C-alpha cells in the first residue's frame, strides 16, 4: 500500500508553543511521594528528589508542569504546603481518599521544577476555596515588594518571587465527582471574579478557565458557552481534558481515537470563536489541553484500594505497544492544531498514568509511551507545516474514514532541520513518499522506527526493549524521500536542510 505526505515551506499552520509539551504532577498515588520525591532512595539529592527521575524528566524536555491537581486541587489549602515541614498538617484528601502529609508543598515543588528545567503551571482551588485564597497565592508567589504574603514567602526562604506565569482556575468544575462541583453559571461567575482579582495582583499572568472534563459530558457545549460568556474578557485559555482507552480490544478503532481528539479541538475552538463574535471582541481565546493521555489499564485495580493510605499506588497503567502508537497519533493531532492549542499537558508525568515509573527500591524506568513523547517534545519544535495527506482509509465501529497514514512535518529553521512524524495504523507496510515542495533537503540525519512488537507487549523495569531503533530503509532524490513504514509503526525522520 502507498501513502504520501506533501508539504511546502510557505504553507504553515503555526509556530509551536513549547508549552504544547507540558505535563502534569498531582498530589495523588505515587506521583509526588515515591515518584519525584523519596528522601530514602539511593538516588535522592540533598532535597530528597530522585535524581534518576529528574534525568528522565529532562530527557522528555518538558517545559511546563501543571501542579498540584487535578481532583486533589479542589480540597487543597495551599497554605498547608508552606512553612516548616514539621509543622505542616496531615490532611484527608477527599478526592482520592488518601492521606496527604504535605511534606512536599509549594517551595519544594518550585525547587524540583528548577532542577527539572521546567515552569510551573499553578492551579488555584475553586472547589472549597475561592477569590481570597487565589489572590493571596498570586501575591505569595509573584509579588516583588513588601506585603503580608510576599513577606511570608521571604520568611519561608524565598527572597525572589517565583514569577509563575500560567495559572488554572480550578479543575474539572463541571464534574459531579469534583469537590465543590458547580453549575456553569456558578463557576463562570466565580472564575471571572477570581481572574479579575488575580490579574489585579499581577497583570502579567495568563489564566486557563475550565472547559468540560471530557467531550461526552452531558453538559458539554453548554458549559463552554456559558463559562466563556462570563469569563471571556478576563481569561486567556479554555481547557480541554480527555483520556482514551481500548476497553473493547479493537485495535483499528482504538488507533482512530485521535480523530475524536481532532473533532473535540475543532468543536471547542468554534465555541471560543462563537463567543468572540457574539461579544464583538478583538481578543482570541486559545486552548489548553491540560489533561490528555491513555487511562484504562489500572481501573480494576484502583477500585480495590483501601482508603486513607499515604501515597498508595493509584492509576498505575502499564502501557503497551498499541498505546505508544495511539500516543503518537494524539501528538500529531495536537501539532495539527498548534494554531489554537498553545498548552497541553500529558497527564501525568511519574507513576500516575505516566511515561516514567519508579520502583521505591530500584530504578526509574521508561514506559512505551515515553518514546513518541520524547521524540516529538525534543524535535517537534519550530513551525508546523500544513500536511497534504494521500492515504487509503478504513472504517471502524466509531469512524467512517480512518487514514492508514497519520503524519505531520515541523520545520526548525534554527536547527536547519525538517522533522517528519508518521504513524502507520495498518497491519501492512506502507510505501511512504514525502514531497518537499520548495524545501531543499541535504540528507536524512535520523530515521527511527518503533515497530515489530506484539500489540499488548509492555516495558518493565527489567526489560525496556520497546523503544525506537534506527532504520536505513529510505531513498532520497531531488523531489523527496521514499521509505517503508513498517506495519503498525511510529516513525520519526529528521532531515538536514540545504
Ligand atoms: O489525572 C487524573 C485525574 O483525571 C485528575 O485528577 C482529574 O482532573 C481527571 O479526572
Amino acid at each position: 500500500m502507498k501513502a504520501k505526505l506533501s508539504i511546502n515551506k510557505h504553507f504553515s499552520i503555526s509556530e509551536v508553543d513549547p508549552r504544547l509539551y507540558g505535563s502534569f504532577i498531582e498530589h495523588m498515588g505515587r506521583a509526588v511521594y515515591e515518584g519525584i520525591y523519596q528522601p530514602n532512595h539511593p538516588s535522592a539529592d540533598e532535597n530528597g528528589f530522585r535524581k534518576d527521575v529528574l534525568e528522565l524528566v529532562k530527557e522528555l524536555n518538558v517545559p511546563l508542569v501543571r501542579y498540584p491537581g487535578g481532583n486533589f486541587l479542589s480540597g487543597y489549602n495551599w497554605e498547608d504546603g508552606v512553612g516548616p515541614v514539621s509543622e505542616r498538617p496531615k490532611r484527608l484528601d477527599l478526592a482520592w481518599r488518601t492521606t496527604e502529609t504535605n511534606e512536599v508543598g509549594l517551595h519544594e515543588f518550585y525547587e524540583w521544577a528548577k532542577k527539572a528545567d521546567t515552569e510551573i503551571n499553578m492551579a488555584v482551588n475553586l472547589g472549597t476555596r475561592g477569590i481570597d485564597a487565589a489572590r493571596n497565592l498570586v501575591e505569595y508567589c509573584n509579588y516583588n515588594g513588601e506585603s503580608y504574603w510576599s513577606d511570608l514567602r521571604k520568611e519561608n526562604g524565598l527572597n525572589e518571587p517565583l514569577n509563575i506565569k500560567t495559572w488554572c482556575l480550578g479543575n474539572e468544575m463541571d464534574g459531579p465527582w469534583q469537590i465543590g462541583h458547580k453549575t456553569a453559571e456558578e463557576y463562570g461567575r466565580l472564575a471571572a471574579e477570581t481572574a479579575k482579582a488575580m490579574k489585579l495582583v499581577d497583570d502579567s499572568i495568563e489564566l486557563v478557565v475550565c472547559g468540560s472534563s471530557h467531550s461526552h459530558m452531558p453538559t458539554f457545549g453548554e458549559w463552554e458557552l456559558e463559562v466563556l460568556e462570563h469569563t471571556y474578557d478576563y481569561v486567556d485559555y479554555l481547557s480541554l481534558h480527555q483520556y482514551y482507552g481500548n476497553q473493547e480490544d479493537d485495535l483499528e478503532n482504538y488507533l482512530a481515537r485521535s480523530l475524536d481528539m481532532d473533532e473535540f479541538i475543532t468543536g471547542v475552538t468554534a465555541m471560543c470563536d462563537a463567543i468572540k463574535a457574539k461579544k464583538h471582541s478583538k481578543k482570541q481565546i486559545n486552548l489548553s489541553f491540560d489533561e490528555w493521555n491513555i487511562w484504562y489499564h489500572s481501573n480494576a485495580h484502583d477500585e480495590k484500594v483501601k482508603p486513607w493510605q499515604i501515597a498508595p499506588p493509584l492509576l498505575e497503567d502499564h502501557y503497551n505497544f498499541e498505546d505508544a502508537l495511539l500516543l503518537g497519533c494524539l501528538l500529531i493531532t495536537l501539532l495539527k492544531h498548534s494554531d489554537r492549542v498553545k498548552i497541553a499537558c500529558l497527564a501525568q508525568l511519574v507513576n500516575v498514568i505516566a511515561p516514567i515509573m519508579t520502583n521505591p527500591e530500584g530504578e526509574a524506568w521508561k514506559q512505551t509511551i515515553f518514546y513518541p513523547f520524547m521524540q516529538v517534545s525534543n524535535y517537534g519544535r519550530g513551525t508546523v507545516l500544513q500536511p497534504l495527506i494521500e492515504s487509503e482509509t478504513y472504517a471502524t465501529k466509531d469512524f467512517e474514514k480512518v487514514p492508514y497514514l497519520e503524519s505531520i512535518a515541523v520545520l526548525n529553521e534554527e536547527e536547519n532541520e525538517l522533522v517528519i512524524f508518521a504513524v502507520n495504523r495498518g497491519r501492512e507496510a506502507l510505501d511512504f513518499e514525502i514531497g518537499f515542495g520548495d524545501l531543499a533537503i541535504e540528507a536524512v540525519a535520523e530515521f527511527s522506527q518503533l515497530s515489530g512488537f506484539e500489540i499488548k507487549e509492555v516495558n518493565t523495569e527489567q526489560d525496556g526493549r520497546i523503544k525506537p531503533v534506527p532504520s536505513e530503509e529510505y531513498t532520497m532524490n531531488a523531489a523527496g524521500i521514499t521509505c517503508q513504514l513498517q506495519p503498525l509503526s511510529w516513525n520519526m525522520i529528521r532531515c538536514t536542510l540545504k
Side-chain angles (χ1 to χ4, degrees):
M1 205 184 299
K2 285 188 176 164
K4 184 170 178 185
L5 164 73
S6 304
I7 47 174
N8 186 304
K9 185 178 177 185
H10 301 289
F11 299 158
S12 64
I13 297 178
S14 173
E15 280 293 298
V16 181
D17 187 319
R19 294 174 299 173
L20 197 69
Y21 306 123
S23 188
F24 175 31
I25 289 194
E26 176 165 4
H27 277 255
M28 69 163 297
R30 300 191 306 123
V32 173
Y33 309 108
E34 283 189 15
I36 61 168
Y37 177 81
Q38 192 186 340
N40 65 0
H41 190 267
S43 86
D45 67 10
E46 66 289 359
N47 300 113
F49 296 125
R50 282 185 64 148
K51 284 194 274 196
D52 57 346
V53 173
L54 274 168
E55 260 168 49
L56 298 191
V57 172
K58 283 195 200 155
E59 252 186 75
L60 288 178
N61 198 1
V62 174
L64 171 113
V65 179
R66 184 164 170 255
Y67 176 84
N71 296 339
F72 169 79
L73 174 72
S74 295
Y76 182 55
N77 302 327
W78 68 264
E79 303 87 337
D80 290 347
V82 302
V85 174
S86 59
E87 290 168 24
R88 295 186 193 168
K90 271 203 178 70
R91 300 263 189 205
L92 297 188
D93 159 27
L94 305 185
W96 300 106
R97 297 184 26 101
T98 56
T99 300
E100 171 58 51
T101 62
N102 284 306
E103 226 175 302
V104 170
L106 178 57
H107 289 252
E108 292 76 21
F109 192 70
Y110 177 65
E111 283 310 311
W112 180 83
K114 276 200 293 191
K115 293 182 185 203
D117 285 336
T118 193
E119 260 180 47
I120 301 176
N121 172 13
M122 183 65 83
V124 299
N125 172 359
L126 293 188
T128 57
R129 308 291 295 277
I131 305 172
D132 204 38
R135 59 127 182 195
N136 293 345
L137 181 56
V138 179
E139 185 179 314
Y140 188 94
C141 291
N142 287 7
Y143 187 58
N144 201 8
E146 284 180 17
S147 74
Y148 178 79
W149 291 106
S150 57
D151 290 348
L152 188 60
R153 178 193 75 230
K154 290 169 205 153
E155 264 169 51
N156 289 335
L158 273 176
N159 244 323
E160 295 305 312
L162 286 70
N163 283 328
I164 295 176
K165 185 180 172 206
T166 321
W167 295 73
C168 299
L169 294 160
N171 176 69
E172 296 189 347
M173 298 309 300
D174 62 323
W177 59 87
Q178 203 67 219
I179 297 162
H181 165 228
K182 292 178 174 51
T183 64
E185 187 183 7
E186 288 164 348
Y187 172 66
R189 287 287 305 123
L190 177 61
E193 293 306 319
T194 307
K196 270 160 67 181
M198 290 169 77
K199 284 194 172 175
L200 281 171
V201 179
D202 180 354
D203 62 6
S204 71
I205 60 176
E206 291 194 328
L207 297 175
V208 184
V209 72
C210 292
S212 295
S213 300
H214 57 80
S215 62
H216 297 288
M217 288 297 288
T219 48
F220 174 62
E222 283 161 47
W223 175 272
E224 277 73 6
L225 293 171
E226 178 150 11
V227 166
L228 285 174
E229 188 68 61
H230 293 290
T231 57
Y232 201 91
D233 294 337
Y234 312 113
V235 302
D236 305 280
Y237 306 91
L238 177 66
S239 79
L240 297 86
H241 288 184
Q242 193 78 44
Y243 294 97
Y244 304 89
N246 191 6
Q247 287 87 347
E248 292 158 349
D249 199 6
D250 176 347
L251 175 69
E252 277 70 20
N253 201 39
Y254 182 51
L255 294 184
R257 286 277 162 234
S258 58
L259 305 189
D260 217 80
M261 179 191 243
D262 185 80
E263 236 174 64
F264 186 21
I265 296 173
T266 306
V268 175
T269 304
M271 291 180 215
C272 292
D273 293 346
I275 300 296
K276 176 181 180 186
K278 185 164 177 255
K279 287 184 178 283
H280 303 286
S281 175
K282 296 269 179 273
K283 173 176 169 183
Q284 174 171 295
I285 299 284
N286 286 321
L287 308 184
S288 172
F289 213 126
D290 51 27
E291 286 188 33
W292 70 275
N293 201 348
I294 292 145
W295 171 13
Y296 78 107
H297 296 286
S298 58
N299 293 352
H301 165 271
D302 290 347
E303 278 166 23
K304 292 180 236 126
V305 173
K306 286 205 190 78
W308 315 127
Q309 299 180 65
I310 297 173
L314 279 176
L315 278 62
E316 298 209 358
D317 277 42
H318 281 190
Y319 293 114
N320 57 32
F321 175 53
E322 66 181 7
D323 296 329
L325 298 178
L326 176 64
L327 202 101
C329 293
L330 296 169
L331 283 161
I332 291 173
T333 307
L334 288 171
L335 282 168
K336 281 185 184 165
H337 288 280
S338 54
D339 54 336
R340 295 306 288 267
V341 183
K342 297 296 172 188
I343 305 170
C345 302
L346 177 71
Q348 299 189 11
L349 188 56
V350 185
N351 287 334
V352 173
I353 39 174
I356 300 169
M357 298 298 288
T358 66
N359 172 347
E361 278 93 43
E363 306 249 315
W365 54 277
K366 299 170 182 174
Q367 296 241 43
T368 59
I369 61 166
F370 184 95
Y371 294 99
F373 188 87
M374 183 263 281
Q375 291 188 323
V376 181
S377 169
N378 279 283
Y379 298 110
R381 310 263 176 158
T383 308
V384 184
L385 301 180
Q386 192 73 57
L388 178 67
I389 304 276
E390 290 164 65
S391 168
E392 285 179 40
T393 59
Y394 64 88
T396 70
K397 186 174 131 301
D398 297 321
F399 305 91
E400 255 174 49
K401 277 186 160 193
V402 185
Y404 286 99
L405 172 70
E406 192 65 72
S407 186
I408 196 85
V410 183
L411 175 64
N412 188 337
E413 292 195 277
E414 246 172 59
E415 298 293 330
N416 199 38
E417 195 170 88
L418 176 80
V419 186
I420 293 112
F421 302 104
V423 174
N424 176 2
R425 289 191 176 100
R427 294 181 193 250
E428 264 180 50
L430 268 185
D431 289 324
F432 181 41
E433 197 186 325
I434 311 166
F436 291 111
D438 50 0
L439 277 157
I441 301 301
E442 176 78 42
V444 173
E446 182 182 1
F447 175 17
S448 97
Q449 292 209 332
L450 184 70
S451 66
F453 302 99
E454 288 300 316
I455 55 175
K456 302 295 180 194
E457 208 174 326
V458 296
N459 279 345
T460 60
E461 187 192 354
Q462 292 73 29
D463 180 0
R465 73 186 207 97
I466 305 184
K467 60 179 169 204
V469 292
S471 167
E472 296 297 328
E473 287 190 46
Y474 62 85
T475 53
M476 224 183 91
N477 60 33
I481 289 176
T482 309
C483 60
Q484 272 254 306
L485 300 186
Q486 293 304 309
L488 298 172
S489 59
W490 160 256
N491 306 268
M492 178 180 76
I493 305 162
R494 291 173 51 218
C495 307
T496 342
L497 299 170
K498 273 196 181 137

